[in-house]
Amino acid sequence: MAVVGAVQRRVLRVLAVTQVLGAAGVATGLAVSTLIAAVLADSDAVGGAAQTAAVLGAGLFALPVARLATRGGRRPALVLGYGAGAAGAAVAACAVVLGSWHVLLVALVLFGAASSANLAARYAGADLAHPHRRARSLAFVVWAATVGAVAGPNLADPAGRAAVRLGLPVGAGPYLLAAALFAGAALVVLRFLRPDPLALARSAAAPAAGAKRPVEVWRSLPAAGKLALGGVALCHTAMVGLMSMTPVHMDHGGSSLRVVGVVISLHVAAMYAASPLFGWMADRLGRVPVLAIGSALVVAASGIAGMAPSHDAPQLAAGLSLLAFGWSAGMVAGSALLTESVGVPDRPAAQGLSDLCMNVGGALGGVVAGVVVTAWSYAALGLVVGLTALPLLVTCLFASLQRVR
């Protein structure tokens, strides 16, 4: 156990570094993608498609990354994700140089592989964790992304100026920086994630049959596993839907880009910064009660933000911060519950399926949110998000009461 504990501490340190690099790369690239795509195509619709392309890429790579983890362990799977993301970022920089928005959208799908790797890394942090500390270990990896996620958007401007000094378009700079950050994350994993945590966990587990395919894993998931998978997907979908339309709502109220940026920055910081607290709560109180807390926070956030006038930045900031806390609680508790619901051989497939559902839900959430706000209002979107999260809250509360009895 002492040896496993030492390896686990090393694994968490390595994953913390890769999370900072990966999150900074993702945030740097996505901070400019909408604007660059819109300028290249002279179309706001194409600008919106840039974000969708990156989310789609994260979803498409979720299962290949999981499949490679099943066959070879976490190290080759994470290297694949970060390596593909680095290639996508480099191609995106070339697309800016060529002035081609078509190439840019294709590149952003590949860029999304780095997001897939960042998501998969949280599960690597739980492979060797003691069951009583599994949620905290997972939450630590999520928390490590805070630095990169907050710093990333602020790196885009200096990267753009550096590109200009090299004779390149300003928009190529952020993508080149993202490519370097992803490549750095891949090299850190390749060099330092040894021994492989998933391979070591398998060697310590009882012999079992061969790993199942994702569809087979879904069919064999117990009720707790399906609740976890649905909870993670729903919290992420609600977060993306409400957050994506908040800048539009604030713009209608005359808020400056600076004010909008502060509100979104607070939201992003809250997504990751509170994860250790929710990890501790999930280990002490149980996974399902914290999943219930996450869904309750999403319901409360949708009401607070949905009722906020477009010019009321403080109320919108409070609503989006609660929304971020709900996402964090759902992500940490749901991911820990899902990990415990399947055997070690089937964990990568189940986790990849969860990330696929999460990213597909996020993409759909953004699209549906735009339709709701266009057809009705931002307040209607808050109502829809709140009503969508209520069944999860009721289910989690019922499951928690059943366990108490």
Side-chain angles (χ1 to χ4, degrees):
M1 286 299 294
V3 174
V4 172
V7 172
Q8 171 67 355
R9 288 190 291 274
R10 175 185 172 87
V11 165
L12 290 179
R13 289 195 296 269
V14 172
L15 292 176
V17 174
T18 63
Q19 284 291 92
V20 171
L21 294 173
V26 170
T28 301
L30 293 185
V32 299
S33 291
T34 299
L35 177 60
I36 291 176
V39 169
L40 291 179
D42 193 24
S43 167
D44 290 340
V46 173
Q51 295 282 346
T52 303
V55 173
L56 178 63
L60 289 176
F61 273 88
L63 292 183
V65 167
R67 191 175 299 114
L68 188 54
T70 299
R71 295 176 179 174
R74 298 292 185 188
R75 189 167 62 253
L78 294 179
V79 169
L80 169 66
Y82 288 127
V91 174
C94 293
V96 175
V97 173
L98 296 172
S100 172
W101 64 268
H102 303 87
V103 175
L104 178 61
L105 292 185
V106 174
L108 287 174
V109 173
L110 199 56
F111 180 98
S115 294
S116 183
N118 256 23
L119 289 172
R122 76 188 190 276
Y123 290 119
D127 285 332
L128 296 175
H130 189 280
H132 293 157
R133 295 188 60 86
R134 183 168 288 134
R136 274 171 281 187
S137 297
L138 193 149
F140 173 78
V141 178
V142 175
W143 171 82
T146 306
V147 176
V150 174
N154 297 308
L155 297 174
D157 183 57
R161 293 199 301 269
V164 171
R165 286 196 293 271
L166 294 173
L168 298 172
V170 64
Y175 291 123
L176 290 175
L177 175 60
L181 291 169
F182 294 153
L187 290 174
V188 169
V189 169
L190 189 62
R191 174 65 179 84
F192 297 106
L193 195 63
R194 299 173 183 271
D196 190 289
L198 183 58
L200 189 57
R202 281 177 178 153
S203 67
K212 303 182 185 74
R213 292 179 300 174
V215 174
E216 295 171 331
V217 169
W218 162 253
R219 291 172 180 168
S220 64
L221 272 180
K226 291 180 179 177
L227 175 63
L229 193 148
V232 170
L234 193 147
C235 288
H236 186 72
T237 301
M239 185 275 291
V240 172
L242 196 58
M243 180 271 294
S244 64
M245 296 310 298
T246 299
V248 177
H249 180 59
M250 295 180 70
D251 180 67
H252 291 164
S255 297
S256 67
L257 288 177
R258 181 179 180 183
V259 173
V260 173
V262 169
V263 171
I264 298 302
S265 294
L266 289 173
H267 168 77
V268 172
M271 283 174 60
Y272 301 105
S275 55
L277 170 62
F278 292 120
W280 176 82
M281 292 173 64
D283 283 336
R284 294 296 298 271
L285 304 178
R287 319 311 191 202
V288 177
V290 176
L291 194 55
I293 291 172
S295 54
L297 287 169
V298 171
V299 173
S302 62
I304 292 172
M307 292 187 295
S310 57
H311 61 272
D312 194 340
Q315 184 172 337
L316 287 165
L320 258 66
S321 295
L322 281 181
L323 181 69
F325 291 148
W327 177 90
S328 183
M331 173 71 71
V332 170
S335 298
L337 181 60
L338 179 66
T339 298
E340 296 167 345
S341 299
V342 294
V344 174
D346 296 325
R347 281 180 183 172
Q351 293 159 352
L353 184 63
S354 175
D355 287 347
L356 172 63
C357 294
M358 200 176 109
N359 283 293
V360 170
L364 290 176
V367 172
V368 171
V371 172
V372 171
V373 171
T374 300
W376 292 287
S377 64
Y378 183 79
L381 175 62
L383 180 62
V384 169
V385 170
L387 291 176
T388 303
L390 270 178
L392 175 62
L393 173 59
V394 172
T395 302
C396 290
L397 289 176
F398 181 76
S400 299
L401 291 174
Q402 289 292 99
R403 183 168 299 181
V404 170
R405 291 176 184 174

